[in-house]
Amino acid sequence: MSAEDERAASPRDEEWPEAEKAEKLARGAALKWASGVFYRPEKLEGLGHYRRRETQRNSSIQSRLKSTVQSYLEGVSTGLEQLRSAAQEVQSVCQDLGAARWALLDSADHFQGLQQMRELMEEHVQLASVVQVLPQIFSVHEVFSHILQLLHGQHLLEAHVELMMVEQLRDDILSQLHLRGLSSAQATVLSYFSGLQELNESLAKQLWDIVGSSLQLVREDPVLFVTAVRIIEREEKIDDTLLLEATFLPPGRPKGWRQKFYQVLQDTITGAHFHAPRMDAEGPGLARHLAALQKDIVSELCVVKDLMVQCVPAHYNILSVCTATYHQALTSHLQEILQEDLDKQGLFLILEWALRVYHSPEMMDHPDLLPEVDVSALGPLMSSELVDQTERRYVMKVKASVFEWMQRTLEVEFKEWFREEEPETDHQGFFQSALPAIVMQMLNENIQVASLITDSLQQKIYNMALEELEACLGRLREALVQCGKEHQQDRAVPKYYISYLLAVLNNNLALSNSVSSLHSNTACREVPTSLQAALDRMQKKATQLLLEELLLDLQPLCLQLPSRKWLSGSQLVGSMCEVIDKYAKDFSRVRKPVCTLLLAETELLVASQYLRALLQRKMVCKSREERGQLCQRLLQDATQLRELFRGLGLDRSQQSLEAVFALRELISLKDPALLSLEVVGFITKYPDVSDEHISTLLDIRGDVSKEVRHVVLEMMAQHPQVLPEGYRPIFSTILVPVPELPFCLRKGKCA
């Protein structure tokens, strides 16, 4: 490159640095391509071919560049020409606007004359409008008379059309006056059209009478009802139009006749069924009232569903409205009824009707009403609080009734105790009375009736039944105690005292076995602790009275032992066995396990009385022979009694007479020095034995020295006993006389 070329290129390079950079990159790429193609000498033969190809390629690129640049230059030239033409046109428009402005300023005085012309024209138009409506205005009162005749003839649609025309005329006049601020003239117009108010009221009265009779009309002749609905819808459209414009609202608007339609319909339904005179709160009056409500509501809803729905627009939702009206009215009506002092039957009817009948296929789930009628979304007919309150009232009424019935049953039971004949028996010969059957039937019936309503009511009645049964057992026990006192004063009264005591035990057992079956749910059949305790107290009291009666017969025999006559041999224990056997035959009229319990208690009583007689009226043996004779007598008596009870069905392990055998072993011991060991074994087997009991036994032996006695008592002190669980005490019920102190001058006071 020459120096001139360098000087020429230097400014260009300074002006276009990107072009220089691009040229360098192109040269580098070309060199890289050439070195890759001609890296071997034999490749140089194709150099001419590559040169021609690249030359053609460069020529093609240059021609495309020239064509592109040429098109760009032509576009720039065209744009410049358009800009030049636009500038000339804008200048011309500005000149025209200036000329028009000066022309308007010169014509401003002429516009005032045009304004007066415009006002005159508007006044002419208004007068022309007034002239056009003058015949209508003058005929208003004549139209009023015609409308009134149409209303009297029940041509409601025609009457309403003319009424709307007159109202439209009045409203147009009032609107014009309102727009011009002529409020003082409005009073004159309203006075002139005052008859409209009376006609509207007359029409509305006929409409509401029709709506009030709608349920009957849609069955007989629905034309009037449909007419009333069409008129109401016309008025609703007029109300909506006026409210949307919101410029002028004529007097009496909006009428709101559709809302009035709903109100009249609801008032009609409520007044027809739920504002009746006060019905009888007791007896069949309430039942008849509820049955009539059920029948009427189903019938009327069927009419609404099948007929009235076809007579009104769909957006009225007439079936839903009527269903909700009946539901809400029933809710209020039931609350009003519940404010009365209802008897238990009335409360039950309300609960059954609201919770079961109302939602049953007999009423709101009637096949003729489904699926269109659905009260599930309307909430319960009675709130949960009201249901609970009503259930509690019902329980209190039932409780009073149950108490009264139980009291009567108990009075009958008490009278039967003093009858001159034995109590009745069942097919197995067990004594019984009608008390358990009557009581359980009464309680079971009330529980079963409550189960027809709700589980909560059934549980409340069940709990009440158990409480009343417990109270009944308490009163029965008190009466039994009183009967026992009277019998103690005169054993001939009641005549069949023992038989009725046995019947009481059988009744108590029957009640105990029947309580668990009162509740239908097996998981809820557990007998409460308090009731079980009352049953146990009743059984214990009857058992106690029987044992007291047995004791009265045994006491004359027990007073004869121990004695020398008894020791030498007598039929004393044989007589006791006869008494026991007689009572055992009576006990056989009691069901097991009470019969077995009576035998066990009898055996315990006999054993304790035998030991009490032996220890309280102690007989001191004077010699070994006498001691041996005593042991022989004890062995014979205990064996005879044991065999008697075994023959009656009481196993040896259940008998307390073993204590007599053990006591005999202590008395028959030949060596007194071994008494301490024997006594330890004795008190281990019978832990309720006291020192006084052992001292008395040692006295009976008659050969125990003070030293041996001291050792025995010391041994007892070293081996204190604790009563094991389930142990039946026998010695703790026997009181032995306390020996007198050796230094006592007299029984009154020691010196």
Side-chain angles (χ1 to χ4, degrees), residues 276-295:
R278 177 178 174 182
M279 77 292 297
D280 187 7
E282 298 181 1
L286 180 59
R288 288 195 299 268
H289 176 67
L290 294 177
L293 280 180
Q294 175 183 345
K295 178 182 177 182

Side-chain angles (χ1 to χ4, degrees), residues 430 506 509 513 587-588 590-597 648-649:
F430 297 115
N506 278 327
L509 181 61
N513 294 334
F587 294 165
S588 66
V590 181
R591 293 182 178 276
K592 292 183 178 181
V594 179
C595 178
T596 305
L597 174 66
L648 294 174

Side-chain angles (χ1 to χ4, degrees), residues 105-176:
L105 290 175
D106 293 340
S107 303
D109 296 336
H110 302 289
F111 290 157
Q112 294 180 357
L114 292 176
Q115 179 65 27
Q116 294 176 358
M117 183 69 71
R118 184 182 296 109
E119 292 175 357
L120 288 173
M121 182 178 178
E122 290 179 357
E123 185 176 356
H124 176 74
V125 170
Q126 292 173 4
L127 290 174
S129 300
V130 171
V131 170
Q132 289 179 358
V133 299
L134 278 177
Q136 301 177 26
I137 294 175
F138 290 142
S139 64
V140 162
H141 293 284
E142 182 181 349
V143 174
F144 284 171
S145 300
H146 187 238
I147 293 174
L148 191 60
Q149 292 176 1
L150 291 174
L151 290 176
H152 289 163
Q154 287 194 337
H155 300 291
L156 302 183
L157 284 177
E158 294 87 343
H160 185 248
V161 169
E162 295 193 13
L163 188 63
M164 285 193 299
M165 292 172 59
V166 177
E167 282 186 340
Q168 181 66 38
L169 177 62
R170 182 202 63 180
D171 296 343
D172 289 343
I173 296 173
L174 291 175
S175 176
Q176 293 297 326

